[in-house]
Amino acid sequence: MRTPLAWKNLTGDLRRLFLGAAGVGFAAVLMFMQNGFKNALTDSPVQLLRVVEGDLIALSVVRYAMPSEQRFPRSLLDLSGSDRDVAWVAPMMVERASARIRVEDQARRSIRVIALPLEPHLFRDPELAQRIENLRQPGTALVDDRSKPQYGFALNDINELLQQPVELMNRRLQLVGTFRLGTDFAHDGNLLVSPQTLANFFPFRGNGAPEDLVDFGLIRLRPGSRPNEVARRLTQLAPRQWTVMPRESLVAREVQFWESQTPIGMIFFIGTMMGFAVGVIVCYQILFTSIQDSMSELATLKAMGYPNSYFVGLVIRQSVYLSVIGFLPAWGVSWLLFRLLESIAGLPMLMTAPRIGLVFGLTLVMCVVSGLLALRKLVRADPASLF
């Protein structure tokens, strides 16, 4: 039976192994958090699309990002409903820049107000589809239960929340419950209202016709339709006014915008690389010390005729073991931090399999690179000079 030299060499000194795993884990946590913040930046603006139905999304051709406020005429959306492949259309209206809310004894703050027709089939969450019945009374709203604490909403006590005096645009607003959406880097809170309520509170919207301007059009296709083909056909109805695209295409466009056209994405990328660099330095010190302490034994093997490829394989295996031992607890710690930050900030700190795989891959490369750097002295030296 072949001796697992890499494993024995790594675990021969448990104190050193613990310190090495802690260093690798610290670097992995840094990379997890930087990637988590970056992904929250790209995930949060498109949360709104994930709570509603619709195969295609229509928006103004000049709307460069979802938080911007360029709109298109409602008549275009109604016209698209006559297409042979369209099952139904629904307008989504959003007010952000002009919307101001004040809870009693709190300062007036900006908030995003979202209006959708009160039709259950528009919502993906069955519970939310039931709660919208409470919005049929004008002047009522559901408040996002992940809105920032600075608003003063009594989100932990539904009975107190329903009794709170709230003003929207200096007019009384009645809260009738909560829903879950989440904040992003542009919005600290959200309200869900009916189109009639939005028209009553924002009569200046659309030059006196508040419901004639649409921020996003939700379009459901009939079974068997080709989304990309229908999207191109609908866009051609008014190519200078709006664009229609599949939901996932809009999500991909939004992610690309925040990653490549804003400095924030680059900042988090640099943070990830800094975590990687810290990990390389820590791993190098651990593996170099391990190799140095075993230098006479390794020199004996080299003098016996073992090729350099054997030592390269030995160090790579040792690096892989170290990366796994350090990564697993870092994964658990990062998951807890993600949940904590999500509850505090309301941002979507999602830990998906591809994102876990990315950080593990970086951790693995980090340890292997460190091991190969630490091996240089043994590979280059004459065995006789190592005794």
Side-chain angles (χ1 to χ4, degrees), residues 10 20-21 23-25 27-28 31 275-288 291 312 314-327 359-375:
L10 185 64
V24 172
M31 292 188 289
F276 183 87
V278 168
V280 168
I281 294 171
V282 171
C283 291
Y284 175 81
Q285 293 295 332
I286 298 299
L287 294 172
F288 179 82
I291 293 172
V312 171
L314 178 70
V315 171
I316 288 178
R317 289 194 297 275
Q318 191 169 329
S319 301
V320 171
Y321 295 149
L322 182 60
S323 67
V324 173
I325 294 171
F327 176 80
V359 176
F360 177 68
L362 289 173
T363 305
L364 186 61
V365 171
M366 174 183 76
C367 291
V368 170
V369 168
S370 302
L372 295 178
L373 290 175
L375 187 64

Side-chain angles (χ1 to χ4, degrees), residues 54-58 76-90 121 217-227 229-235 237 242 244:
D55 300 304
L56 305 180
I57 308 295
L76 278 177
L77 187 62
D78 294 337
L79 179 61
S80 69
S82 62
D83 188 277
R84 64 182 181 275
D85 289 321
V86 174
W88 53 256
V89 299
H121 68 268
L218 310 180
I219 303 174
R220 169 68 83 186
L221 300 181
R222 300 185 188 281
S225 301
R226 298 180 178 179
E229 180 181 319
V230 178
R232 286 192 294 269
R233 187 166 67 240
L234 295 181
T235 297
L237 293 175
W242 78 343
V244 182

Side-chain angles (χ1 to χ4, degrees), residues 90-101:
M92 180 191 295
M93 291 160 283
V94 180
E95 280 293 336
R96 179 184 65 88
S98 59
R100 294 292 184 275
I101 194 169

Side-chain angles (χ1 to χ4, degrees), residues 3-18 20 283 285-299 301 310-319 321-322 325 371 374-375 378:
T3 302
L5 184 57
W7 177 253
K8 289 184 175 295
N9 199 32
L10 185 64
T11 58
D13 187 336
L14 293 180
R15 179 178 175 275
R16 186 167 60 199
L17 174 61
F18 174 79
C283 291
Q285 293 295 332
I286 298 299
L287 294 172
F288 179 82
T289 302
S290 175
I291 293 172
Q292 192 69 25
D293 290 348
S294 305
M295 188 63 72
S296 59
E297 292 85 353
L298 295 175
L301 292 176
Y310 171 80
F311 300 105
V312 171
L314 178 70
V315 171
I316 288 178
R317 289 194 297 275
Q318 191 169 329
S319 301
Y321 295 149
L322 182 60
I325 294 171
L375 187 64
L378 176 64

Side-chain angles (χ1 to χ4, degrees), residues 21-32:
V24 172
F26 176 73
V29 169
L30 282 180
M31 292 188 289
F32 261 124

